[in-house]
């Protein structure tokens, strides 16, 4: 093979290779979504969230995560956090609300949403965030792993950081319905069929142990459910008597077969629509 031919092949390969991704303007927004194919950080102009004071019944988790986020935003040591538990009880809403609240006093704080299916690309994302003057909450919502799912290995790049270590300006907040990020039947099946049961699932189960904060979310009781709705009504100026609200809200939860913060919001949206109140 001649030198000329080798040079032409090298030039062709260079043209085919994607150019290094330029760091985005992190001052363009306070929130971003990570996309792949091609890799890019998309700024989010308006984040869908509720005010922190409207999240009822999760005071301990709220205070713990808020303190951790303030530390992180101030450049102090902070833990990765796993918010786990009942569906619809405000796990993702809490992360977004705390980001907004802390950002008001620490304007370098950003939030970047990472989809579970994009975890294999997290190393490239961290390369973009590393060294930037801003502080980043890397937010992965509804995180869980099933059978033959190797995505959890990519997550270790955030939690452990490999040789380089996790960037000092990045912290991971993840939500999950599962405490150990994997189904209970999967844990039992692998333990029961393994030669060494204790090692069979240790790698996956220990993934949740790498989160410094475990914040549990449990189903709300009826008083908390009604307090959530009353809080939404007061915040948005929706007028309804306590007796009517109680009767309607309890009927609404009965038709859904569940009681949670999400169900409370869904009832409130219906109520606001019937009352002719727009939600800004």
């Amino acid at each position: 093979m001649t030198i000329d031919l080798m040079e032409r092949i090298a030039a062709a390969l260079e043209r085919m290779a994607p150019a290094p991704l330029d760091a985005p303007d992190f001052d363009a927004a306070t929130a971003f979504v990570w996309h792949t194919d091609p890799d890019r950080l998309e700024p989010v102009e308006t984040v869908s969230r509720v005010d922190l004071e409207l999240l009822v019944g999760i005071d301990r988790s709220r205070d713990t995560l808020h303190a951790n986020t303030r530390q992180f935003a101030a450049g102090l040591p902070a833990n990765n956090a796993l918010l786990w538990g009942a569906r619809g009880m405000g796990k993702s809403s809490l992360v977004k609300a705390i980001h907004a609240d802390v950002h008001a006093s620490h304007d370098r704080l950003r939030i970047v949403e990472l989809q579970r299916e994009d975890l294999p690309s997290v190393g490239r994302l961290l390369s973009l965030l590393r060294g930037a003057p801003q502080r980043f909450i890397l937010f992965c919502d509804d995180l869980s792993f099933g059978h033959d799912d190797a995505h959890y290995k990519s997550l270790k790049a955030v939690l452990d950081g490999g040789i380089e270590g996790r960037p000092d300006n990045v912290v991971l907040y993840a939500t999950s319905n599962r405490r150990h990020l994997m189904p209970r039947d999967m844990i039992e099946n692998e333990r029961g069929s393994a030669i060494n049961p204790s090692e069979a699932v240790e790698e996956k189960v220990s993934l949740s142990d790498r989160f410094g904060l475990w914040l549990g979310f449990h189903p709300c009781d009826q008083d908390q459910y009604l307090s959530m709705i009353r809080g939404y009504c007061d915040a948005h100026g929706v007028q309804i008597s306590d007796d009517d609200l109680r009767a309607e809200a309890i009927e609404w939860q009965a038709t859904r077969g569940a009681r949670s913060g999400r169900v409370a919001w869904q009832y409130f949206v219906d109520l606001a629509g019937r009352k002719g109140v727009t939600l800004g």
Side-chain angles (χ1 to χ4, degrees), residues 2 27-28 106 116 147 168 170 177 200 202 216 223 264 271 276:
T2 67
D27 291 328
H106 298 79
R116 192 199 72 88
H147 298 273
D168 291 337
V170 176
N177 295 332
E202 182 178 355
D223 289 341
L271 175 64

Side-chain angles (χ1 to χ4, degrees), residues 166-182:
R166 174 169 57 88
D168 291 337
N169 63 335
V170 176
V171 70
L172 174 67
Y173 289 175
T175 71
S176 179
N177 295 332
R178 301 166 179 165
R179 183 174 184 178
H180 289 296
L181 303 176
M182 56 190 293

Side-chain angles (χ1 to χ4, degrees), residues 2-16:
T2 67
I3 294 178
D4 181 61
L5 180 58
M6 292 175 63
E7 289 177 346
R8 281 187 289 156
I9 293 174
L13 291 174
E14 186 174 347
R15 288 193 299 271
M16 293 172 60

Side-chain angles (χ1 to χ4, degrees), residues 77-95:
N79 275 304
N80 298 311
L82 175 62
L83 290 70
W84 68 275
R87 299 190 307 272
M89 278 306 299
K91 297 185 293 294
S92 60
S93 295
L94 180 61
V95 173

